[in-house]
Amino acid sequence: MKRAAQLPPGIAGRAFTSAEAAAAGLRPGRLRRSDLDSPFRGIYAAPRTLVSAESLVLAYALRMSPDHFYSHVTAALIYGLPLPAHLQRSMTLHVSTETPAVRHGSTGVIGHHVKRGTVRVVDAYGLRVSSPVDTWCQLATVLSLDDLIRVGDALVRRKNPFATLAGLRAGAVRYAGKRGAKALRQALLWIRPGVDSPTETDVRLLLVRAGLPEPEVNGEITDGWGVCIAHGDLVYRDFRVLVEYDDGQHRTNESQYNSDVNGLDAIIEERWRVLRINKSYSSPVIVRRVETALRAAGWRPDQCAPPRESG
């Protein structure tokens, strides 16, 4: 009799079904031994194999029927969307179906029934998942307004966006009258295409809510010949003020770090004021530094306009 550590190569190190176990030569009695975990009915794995949400998602997918799909928080995790820490660590799966009679509850799984035709299901990394827009709408019932804005910004991000702002608007319209619909409408007022990170979202919200003008997100900065020399994190074009957030990651990559330094030097040579901030700066300090730079460039508080939906 083989021990868990000696599972056949085809199923070792991952979750597997009873059918896969049989095909690999394991007898039914072997699956009932205490040295194998069974997180879901009919699914087995060696101990300490399923230690992350990702591993549980892949394990449960082995038993999902064609009318099941991942949704809500689980869909957001699959897409890699920014969630609060407690949800990032969540080991509870959210699974939806359009078939009311289908039972899909299980230990560690929250089941949802959705009205047929109201949720678009797509293939994401080989998994059936609610579409990015529908996932954002579903999250309105569990996220704060700012977290919902961060997810929305991530969906319409600058590189490889999952959705468009028009798509988010259409999603909010479809969800009108449902729980969370008001939060979706409020979030749309603050979501901006072109964001690169949740930190950019946080700093932008901080500055605007402090009464400062809204900056461009990852705006293009050109030299005197009209050639693009950089994309700034938060750009106050009219005042030639640039706010750059240093998250420290680029300092571990010498080539990227040197490129960043050279880019900032080129921006300064074009007579821009560059403000570099990082996580050591408190919110009041960030606001004060940006306000001081804007005032020095001629801005006055009566020039602010209230936030409005982009586009």
Side-chain angles (χ1 to χ4, degrees):
M1 185 69 68
K2 296 181 178 179
R3 295 178 299 173
Q6 299 174 323
L7 291 171
I11 60 175
R14 68 172 180 87
F16 54 90
T17 65
S18 54
E20 289 177 314
L26 296 184
R27 301 191 179 202
R30 177 68 183 84
L31 301 180
R32 293 192 290 271
R33 288 183 50 176
S34 61
D35 61 354
L36 283 181
D37 292 334
S38 181
F40 311 111
R41 183 177 180 182
I43 304 298
Y44 305 90
R48 297 179 297 281
T49 299
L50 307 179
V51 295
S52 66
E54 178 184 7
S55 61
L56 287 176
V57 164
L58 296 176
Y60 192 81
L62 296 174
R63 71 185 298 271
M64 287 176 71
S65 64
D67 54 3
H68 288 176
F69 58 93
Y70 288 117
S71 62
H72 298 76
V73 171
T74 303
L77 290 173
I78 291 171
Y79 290 124
L81 299 176
L83 293 175
H86 72 283
L87 293 180
Q88 288 281 3
R89 298 190 299 265
S90 175
M91 300 290 279
T92 300
L93 304 182
H94 291 258
V95 180
S96 291
T97 181
E98 294 181 333
T99 308
V102 172
R103 292 179 56 85
H104 55 290
S106 181
T107 301
V109 177
I110 296 176
H112 305 269
H113 284 114
V114 299
K115 186 176 180 180
R116 187 171 298 279
T118 60
V119 176
R120 180 167 166 256
V121 180
V122 300
D123 181 285
Y125 313 108
L127 302 168
R128 285 173 51 80
V129 187
S130 58
S131 74
V133 170
D134 283 300
T135 299
W136 176 68
C137 293
Q138 293 161 353
L139 291 173
T141 62
V142 297
L143 294 185
S144 68
L145 175 61
D146 282 5
D147 286 325
L148 200 59
I149 295 169
R150 291 185 193 99
V151 172
D153 274 3
L155 290 175
V156 296
R157 63 195 183 191
R158 182 163 65 102
K159 298 179 181 179
N160 303 314
F162 287 101
T164 64
L165 193 58
L168 296 185
R169 291 196 196 103
V173 170
R174 290 199 312 273
Y175 274 71
K178 297 182 180 179
R179 191 162 67 94
K182 180 179 179 181
L184 294 175
R185 294 193 301 270
Q186 291 175 328
L188 278 171
L189 294 173
W190 296 95
I191 292 171
R192 300 292 182 266
V195 174
D196 277 343
S197 72
T199 305
E200 291 176 4
T201 299
D202 293 342
V203 176
R204 173 171 55 87
L205 294 179
L206 169 68
L207 297 176
V208 175
R209 289 170 178 171
L212 300 182
E214 179 170 341
E216 290 179 45
V217 176
N218 284 296
E220 184 179 274
I221 297 177
T222 59
D223 62 15
W225 299 96
V227 177
C228 177
I229 56 177
H231 285 86
D233 289 349
L234 300 173
V235 179
Y236 288 103
R237 190 171 305 280
D238 292 343
F239 305 100
R240 301 183 79 81
V241 171
L242 169 63
V243 181
E244 288 282 297
Y245 188 86
D246 180 9
D247 59 9
Q249 293 180 354
H250 287 176
R251 280 177 289 179
T252 62
N253 183 318
E254 184 175 356
S255 176
Q256 182 63 58
Y257 176 74
N258 291 335
S259 176
D260 290 346
V261 170
N262 293 337
L264 290 177
D265 286 344
I267 294 170
I268 294 172
E269 288 175 2
E270 294 297 324
R271 299 176 183 270
W272 281 74
R273 174 73 183 277
V274 178
L275 303 177
R276 301 187 70 179
I277 60 177
N278 56 51
K279 63 182 181 180
S280 71
Y281 287 77
S282 67
S283 295
V285 169
I286 293 173
V287 172
R288 185 172 65 251
R289 290 193 67 203
V290 175
E291 181 176 358
T292 299
L294 290 175
R295 284 182 179 274
W299 171 80
R300 295 297 176 265
D302 58 4
Q303 295 175 263
C304 272
R308 59 184 177 81
E309 188 176 333
S310 176

